[in-house]
Amino acid sequence: MKCFTHTTDDAIGICKICAKGLCMPCTTDTGSGLVCSESCAAELADLDEIMRKNKVLLGIGSARKSIPTGLLMFFFFGVMFTGFGLYFALVKGREDYFLVLMGLGFLVIGGIGWWRNRKINLSC
């Protein structure tokens, strides 16, 4: 492969953003990848920041293992739907258990997600 800018020079790497072949003079190493220009370096820094924030939200690679917000929402909706369903079924006398089943579904999905998140955090 040849350099995108210097077509006679062999490429030593590829820009992490635009995938152009780069020779030694065209290459800038940012520490997280090779880039060809300042605009690509800025975009790579933005992507690195997004990845860092996602890891914090998911609790991956951090000392503090937290439950992700999505799992908390599943548990919240599971408790709410189950509670309202039981209230309407037992107190109001309705024979409709749809809300209870929906709430239990949310709790099951939240439990599966918690278990998978726990396994991911243990492997980090």
Side-chain angles (χ1 to χ4, degrees):
M1 178 188 284
K2 299 293 182 182
C3 177
F4 181 80
T5 306
H6 306 108
T7 56
T8 59
D9 295 344
D10 287 334
I12 62 158
I14 297 174
C15 178
K16 197 165 186 178
I17 300 300
C18 62
K20 293 178 183 174
L22 305 172
C23 65
M24 184 60 88
C26 294
T27 303
T28 303
D29 188 4
T30 63
S32 62
L34 301 176
V35 292
C36 63
S37 64
E38 289 299 318
S39 62
C40 285
E43 191 170 340
L44 183 58
D46 291 343
L47 288 174
D48 287 342
E49 181 65 16
I50 290 169
M51 292 298 292
R52 186 194 65 76
K53 287 180 180 179
N54 283 338
K55 286 181 180 180
V56 169
L57 284 174
L58 293 173
I60 297 173
S62 64
R64 184 178 147 244
K65 305 297 184 200
S66 62
I67 297 176
T69 308
L71 290 181
L72 292 175
M73 292 302 293
F74 274 113
F75 287 123
F76 173 76
F77 284 124
V79 169
M80 292 303 293
F81 278 110
T82 304
F84 281 122
L86 289 174
Y87 171 75
F88 287 132
L90 299 177
V91 176
K92 297 288 186 177
R94 293 184 185 172
E95 294 296 322
D96 185 16
Y97 290 102
F98 175 73
L99 291 177
V100 175
L101 292 175
M102 210 165 134
L104 292 175
F106 274 112
L107 290 173
V108 167
I109 292 171
I112 291 170
W114 174 79
W115 180 256
R116 291 185 69 196
N117 183 59
R118 184 176 166 269
K119 287 173 54 178
I120 289 171
N121 283 337
L122 290 176
S123 66
C124 289

